[in-house]
């Protein structure tokens, strides 16, 4: 069933069935490009969550006992279905999240690749045989940890859920996932690919609700063995503390405030073009988005001029309109935050070179913004902006720039531009980040791990490390006589 906007009717998915929540309560889903309500998301009652937990417990028994080759085939079939449906999934994503259609469709296609990577890795969840006393066989087995409770945000409506769902299922776990109430239909479409591929009922359950109620309920349940979260640092700390209270491990993929260091020997024009391209993807709502531009004073004029040119070339509009290269912010909270961060910086003496305000049109748009003369105490240099805003700050000495880059409690992504191998090595060794890109702003790839240090969280997603959180290591020694 779809609404007038071509947007599907949103349902929970519990124990293999699509259902309305038992509260009868719903929340509106708003198209951020038009501020029109396009649908309603049902909010789960505690009884719905209990059914989802029961289903996950039963689903785990079935799924972990399914031969790995069969599990892998089901996951590959789901990936094929998602690839076939990418255009439609992308359209739905743009309606509910706002990103340009090409980005949305690309995301849907890319996450089919995430699923394939995990599906193949399921076959490589090897254990070990360890040399032992004669007559004793000492082995290490890796087993699925059990039912997972996962919570994901709205910035990558397909990427966020798929990273958790595909790793959990590949490891042989079942999962109850609360996707964002603001972008629920993309998550539904992903679930549909799995059910159509033949995933057993209960292995994957999708819920929406009041986030704090849902997470408290699921984390406290003895059924759940792992808590996996992507989102802000404060919420991550809250959920990690709740998990700690009941001695459950957690995987925390939190925010960042990524520094870009443009060294004296870099090409300022090339660096500005690459950094600006990365800055405005998804309207800056990316946890690894470059967000503090520390540029050597000898290059700052050239870098800034090129960056402003790139910002002014961004075509802001409804993601469904051809030619749009940056959509609106996904929700009104982000717009208010960006207005507040800009006003604070300006009040402290910053200059707005371009943008700095919402364009005169409906929708939660914010113009691509470049600021200079931003003082050290501006909130923008401390709080993750999560939007299309770029403060450019000159430096004279590389150690000073590294000190500034590492000064924040975040440690997710960092970027460096330099033509010197020795400087590149210094940046690699000294930047406190889980993800470092040199001379480009690399995005995440399936084959390599992503994750943070410090307040940006712990655990890794992607790469061979991705299944670690979802598997437990068991030592088995067997005396034969
Ligand atoms: P928020 O902190 O209120 O929420 C972040 C996400 O966590 C949302 O999806 C929300 O539904 C969920 N959430 C909130 N409270 C929860 C709870 N008690 N239990 C489970 N889930 C809960 O912020 P927001 O306004 O949605 O986003 C703003 C900030 O969040 C951004 O500035 C950014 O720092 C961060 N964020 C980070 C990522 C990321 O990819 N790491 C993604 C989205 C948002």
């Amino acid at each position: 069933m779809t609404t007038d906007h071509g947007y599907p009717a949103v349902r929970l998915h519990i124990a293999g069935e699509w259902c309305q929540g038992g509260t009868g309560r719903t929340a509106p889903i708003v198209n951020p490009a038009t501020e029109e309500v396009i649908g309603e998301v049902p909010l789960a009652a505690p009884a719905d969550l209990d059914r989802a937990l029961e289903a996950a417990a039963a689903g785990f028994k079935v799924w972990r006992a399914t031969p790995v080759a069969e599990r892998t085939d089901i996951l590959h079939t789901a990936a094929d279905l998602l690839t076939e449906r990418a255009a439609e999934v992308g359209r739905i994503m743009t309606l509910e999240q706002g990103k340009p259609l090409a980005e949305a469709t690309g995301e849907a296609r890319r996450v089919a690749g995430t699923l394939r990577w995990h599906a193949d890795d399921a076959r490589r969840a090897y254990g070990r045989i360890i040399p032992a006393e004669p007559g004793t066989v000492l082995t290490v087995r890796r087993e699925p940890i059990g039912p997972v409770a996962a919570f994901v945000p709205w910035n990558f409506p397909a990427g966020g859920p798929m990273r958790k769902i595909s790793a959990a299922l590949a490891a042989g776990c079942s999962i109850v996932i609360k996707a964002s109430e603001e972008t629920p239909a993309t998550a539904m479409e992903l679930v549909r690919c799995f059910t159509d591929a033949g995933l057993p009922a209960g292995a994957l359950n999708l819920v929406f609700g009041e986030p704090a109620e849902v997470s408290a309920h699921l984390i406290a349940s003895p059924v759940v063995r792992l808590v996996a979260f992507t989102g802000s640092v404060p919420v991550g700390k809250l959920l990690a503390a709740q998990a700690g209270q009941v001695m459950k491990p957690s995987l925390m993929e939190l925010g960042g405030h990524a520094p870009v260091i443009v060294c004296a020997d870099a090409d300022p024009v090339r660096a500005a073009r690459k950094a600006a391209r990365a800055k405005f993807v998804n309207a800056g709502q990316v946890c690894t988005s470059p967000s503090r531009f520390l540029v050597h004073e000898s290059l700052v004029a050239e870098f800034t001029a090129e960056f402003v040119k790139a910002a002014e070339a961004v075509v802001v509009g409804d993601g469904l309109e051809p030619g749009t290269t940056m959509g609106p912010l996904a929700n009104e909270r982000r717009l208010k935050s960006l207005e507040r961060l800009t006003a604070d910086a300006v009040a402290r003496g910053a200059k707005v070179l371009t943008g700095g305000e919402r364009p005169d049109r409906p929708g939660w748009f914010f113009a691509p913004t470049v600021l200079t003369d931003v003082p050290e105490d501006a909130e923008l240099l401390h709080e993750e902006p999560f939007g299309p805003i770029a403060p450019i700050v000159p430096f004279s000495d590389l150690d000073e720039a590294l000190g500034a880059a590492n000064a924040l409690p975040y440690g997710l992504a960092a970027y460096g531009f330099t033509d010197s191998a020795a400087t590149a090595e210094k940046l690699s060794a000294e930047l406190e980040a889980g993800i470092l890109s040199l001379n480009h702003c690399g995005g995440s790839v399936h084959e390599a791990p992503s994750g943070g240090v410090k307040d940006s969280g712990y655990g890794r997603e992607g790469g061979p490390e991705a299944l670690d959180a979802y598997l437990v290591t068991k030592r088995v020694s067997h005396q034969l006589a």
Side-chain angles (χ1 to χ4, degrees):
M1 188 173 47
T2 56
T3 63
D4 292 352
H5 301 269
Y7 185 81
V10 175
R11 298 284 180 269
L12 315 178
H13 186 77
I14 298 176
E17 305 282 337
W18 294 101
C19 55
Q20 293 274 20
T23 56
R25 280 186 298 149
T26 61
I29 304 156
V30 180
N31 177 344
T34 60
E35 299 178 53
E36 282 176 287
V37 173
I38 52 173
E40 294 287 330
V41 55
L43 304 180
D48 300 315
L49 301 177
D50 286 337
R51 280 195 304 120
L53 287 162
E54 229 175 88
F60 177 52
K61 286 198 182 122
V62 175
W63 185 238
R64 76 173 301 183
T66 306
V68 69
E70 204 178 309
R71 291 205 314 248
T72 302
D73 281 350
I74 292 174
L75 300 185
H76 273 290
T77 305
D80 293 344
L81 291 173
L82 180 54
T83 306
E84 274 169 32
R85 299 173 187 177
E88 177 57 6
V89 176
R91 193 187 63 79
I92 290 169
M93 196 188 308
T94 295
L95 275 173
E96 63 185 10
Q97 200 271 355
K99 66 181 70 185
L101 194 54
E103 265 183 47
T105 307
E107 180 178 332
R109 288 211 182 88
R110 203 169 53 250
V111 305
T114 308
L115 176 53
R116 290 192 182 100
W117 167 263
H118 285 131
D120 289 338
D121 234 24
R123 310 176 97 113
R124 291 187 285 260
Y126 305 134
R128 305 203 296 280
I129 299 177
I130 297 170
E133 295 297 308
T136 301
V137 182
L138 184 56
T139 56
V140 172
R141 303 156 64 108
R142 298 183 85 209
E143 299 179 341
I145 191 168
V148 176
F151 309 93
V152 290
W154 39 263
N155 54 336
F156 288 101
M162 185 57 96
R163 279 183 161 194
K164 310 276 190 261
I165 295 170
S166 58
L169 293 177
C173 300
S174 60
I175 179 165
V176 180
I177 185 161
K178 189 198 80 58
S180 169
E181 289 69 29
E182 291 167 345
T183 57
T186 303
M188 271 179 64
E189 295 306 314
L190 300 187
V191 171
R192 242 192 268 286
C193 293
F194 286 98
T195 57
D196 291 352
L199 188 76
L204 168 57
N205 304 276
L206 174 67
V207 297
F208 305 104
E210 286 297 340
E213 281 175 24
V214 176
S215 54
H217 195 101
L218 295 183
I219 292 170
S221 163
V223 168
V224 165
R225 295 297 180 84
L226 170 71
V227 176
F229 175 73
T230 299
S232 65
V233 172
V235 176
K237 287 184 174 175
L238 176 77
L239 301 196
Q242 288 175 358
Q245 284 293 320
V246 284
M247 202 46 77
K248 288 180 190 171
S250 54
L251 176 62
M252 290 286 153
E253 170 72 58
L254 308 179
H257 202 331
V260 179
I261 300 184
V262 182
C263 300
D265 55 16
D267 175 339
V269 170
R270 214 169 52 203
R273 285 184 188 152
K274 289 183 179 178
R277 201 175 312 129
K279 174 71 263 179
F280 301 119
V281 166
N282 207 9
Q285 303 163 116
V286 184
C287 53
T288 55
S289 183
S291 50
R292 292 176 288 151
F293 299 83
L294 309 171
V295 183
H296 190 267
E297 59 191 7
S298 62
L299 308 179
V300 77
E302 236 183 312
F303 178 91
T304 304
E306 191 64 28
F307 203 106
V308 168
K309 204 159 98 187
E312 290 177 347
V314 171
V315 182
V316 177
D318 186 324
L320 292 177
E321 282 164 17
T324 293
T325 57
M326 191 182 94
L329 298 163
N331 53 57
E332 199 175 11
R333 298 186 303 286
R334 294 273 23 91
L335 181 60
K336 299 283 171 227
S337 295
L338 290 173
E339 287 176 336
R340 172 175 55 76
L341 291 172
T342 307
D344 170 77
V346 168
R348 293 174 200 266
K351 288 200 190 81
V352 178
L353 298 190
T354 186
E357 54 192 11
R358 66 186 296 187
D360 184 20
R361 58 176 294 167
W364 297 318
F365 292 92
F366 194 78
T369 296
V370 182
L371 298 176
T372 54
D373 298 302
V374 184
E376 215 301 294
D377 60 354
E379 289 172 10
L380 176 60
L381 294 184
H382 299 265
E383 186 183 320
E384 181 177 25
F386 226 62
I389 179 165
I392 298 176
V393 179
F395 71 87
S396 53
D397 169 69
L398 183 56
D399 285 314
E400 170 205 321
L402 278 162
N406 290 337
L408 297 193
Y410 296 108
L412 189 60
Y415 304 90
F417 286 86
T418 175
D419 276 352
S420 148
T423 308
E425 182 49 34
K426 183 175 168 72
L427 295 175
S428 304
E430 295 185 26
L431 275 166
E432 295 173 357
I435 306 164
L436 173 63
S437 304
L438 296 174
N439 292 338
H440 76 142
C441 294
S444 64
V445 290
H446 314 310
E447 299 79 12
S450 296
V453 298
K454 305 199 287 186
D455 273 8
S456 294
Y458 42 76
R460 291 294 178 267
E461 297 194 306
E465 288 89 345
L467 297 193
D468 288 352
Y470 297 86
L471 295 167
V472 282
T473 299
K474 182 190 274 180
R475 187 187 79 197
V476 178
S477 66
H478 179 188
Q479 209 156 53
L480 300 172

